Amino acid sequence: MNSEQIRIDENRASWDDRAEVHARGGYGDLSALTDDPRAITSVARRDYEALKPHLPRNSIEGLKLLHLQCHIGTDTLCWPRLGAAETWGLDFSPCALAHAREFARQANVAVHYVEGDARCAVDALHDHAGTFDAIVTSAGTITWLPDLIDWARSIERLLAPGGVFMIRDDHPLLAALGFSGMGICGDYKTGALSSYDMDVTYTTDPGNDAAQKLAHTRNHNWTHDFAEIVGALLGAGLSIEALTEDEVAEWRSLPMLEFHAADESWRLPEGSPRLPLMFTIVARKPQKGDRH
């Protein structure tokens, strides 16, 4: 087994542990989400707002959607509620998918879940190649992928002609800041690997409840700058329709961020230097006959 696969396996073991923590209280009381057919997570709501202008009639109504790296499915189950006719979720953690299926059952929504590596999602969904109207991924995803070439090619193969892909993720600058402050302490450019041990997850209470400890502590993250992300999507044959930078984060990605309960977001304190915390890229697969 090569070193890259060992790192992927160690990440999977860590995310199996995280799924248990997140599903059993780490994400709070999820019954409010599963029991209310109108409930939409803040992540899914912002994802949809970013995606909507690029959809037919500015709506997901009647379309087929795939959520990559869906974790325990709290955001995934929102897409049927937003109007998607068919919703699929893919993740590499079998533990996360077991919880995702149970939450979808509790919410009484139809979501099809498949286990697979996002870099080769088309292998797990080969019968659905060329059929997805929209593919989304967001909030802490591609840092767990060693490279993006196969990832982008897989997305292109899964999209229907004219279909759109949207990624809304942590800004590459945060990796250079080490997710720890305003000082540069790491590489911004693609190619940096960060390996570390952590026995808690990002939702763990500062009190460090022993019940939220992770048994598998080894983690590996890869840095991807904009040149690589955009280049991979363009190289796969997609066209870039939008690239934006946002000052709103989905989690406390820097220690000084403050929580805003009104929209369940994290932001820099008033008076701080204005920095991008997340980015959004929307790409489209050309229709047959389009010039690219």
Side-chain angles (χ1 to χ4, degrees):
M1 186 181 298
N2 63 40
S3 58
E4 182 176 286
Q5 188 57 52
I6 290 171
R7 293 181 183 116
I8 295 294
D9 290 345
E10 288 178 334
N11 281 347
R12 183 184 295 108
S14 176
W15 277 98
D16 281 342
D17 290 352
R18 291 167 189 246
E20 287 295 324
V21 172
H22 295 164
R24 302 184 189 280
Y27 279 4
D29 182 6
L30 293 176
S31 63
L33 174 65
T34 57
D35 293 350
D36 182 355
R38 298 167 299 177
I40 304 295
T41 65
S42 57
V43 173
R45 184 171 62 249
R46 282 187 276 272
D47 284 350
Y48 190 32
E49 288 303 312
L51 181 64
K52 235 188 325 191
H54 306 275
L55 296 173
R57 302 175 301 281
N58 294 322
S59 173
I60 196 67
E61 289 278 348
L63 302 182
K64 182 176 179 179
L65 176 138
L66 169 63
H67 182 191
L68 293 177
Q69 294 175 266
C70 64
H71 192 37
I72 62 172
T74 49
D75 302 319
T76 321
L77 67 81
C78 297
W79 289 102
R81 291 174 174 175
L82 290 166
E86 190 176 333
T87 300
W88 290 73
L90 179 139
D91 199 89
F92 75 159
S93 163
C95 182
L97 292 174
H99 287 296
R101 292 184 180 103
E102 175 58 20
F103 288 134
R105 186 196 66 79
Q106 293 175 14
N108 195 31
V109 296
V111 180
H112 309 280
Y113 286 108
V114 175
E115 183 179 336
D117 187 323
R119 293 174 298 166
C120 47
V122 71
D123 294 343
L125 291 159
H126 55 88
D127 291 340
H128 299 269
T131 67
F132 288 98
D133 301 297
I135 299 177
V136 298
T137 190
S138 69
T141 55
I142 58 173
T143 188
W144 300 97
L145 306 179
D147 67 83
L148 302 182
I149 298 298
D150 290 337
W151 169 81
R153 289 172 178 167
S154 186
I155 288 165
E156 190 277 336
R157 289 179 60 192
L158 286 166
L159 283 172
V164 293
F165 166 68
M166 187 212 70
I167 175 171
R168 198 172 65 86
D169 209 342
D170 296 326
H171 198 283
L173 175 63
L174 296 183
L177 297 175
F179 295 91
S180 60
M182 293 295 192
I184 299 295
C185 59
D187 292 340
Y188 172 84
K189 297 297 290 180
T190 287
L193 167 65
S194 173
S195 297
Y196 55 94
D197 288 290
M198 180 178 291
D199 65 356
V200 294
T201 180
Y202 56 89
T203 66
T204 301
D205 185 271
N208 208 9
D209 186 341
Q212 295 189 339
K213 291 280 190 176
L214 307 180
H216 299 90
T217 62
R218 197 64 175 158
N219 294 267
H220 309 276
N221 296 134
W222 289 267
T223 299
H224 304 291
D225 60 27
F226 278 138
E228 183 195 11
I229 300 167
V230 171
L233 294 169
L234 290 173
L238 303 177
S239 60
I240 305 298
E241 292 204 344
L243 191 163
T244 60
E245 297 173 297
D246 201 342
E247 297 174 58
V248 172
E250 297 296 352
W251 63 290
R252 199 174 190 178
S253 49
L254 291 174
M256 72 286 292
L257 298 188
E258 297 176 343
F259 184 67
H260 288 241
D263 63 355
E264 299 180 80
S265 69
W266 292 87
R267 302 167 188 253
L268 285 162
E270 192 71 29
S272 298
R274 297 183 64 192
L275 295 177
L277 300 174
M278 295 192 74
F279 73 92
T280 301
I281 294 176
V282 179
R284 187 178 300 276
K285 181 173 180 174
Q287 297 272 10
K288 292 180 180 178
D290 285 353
R291 298 184 65 186
H292 179 67

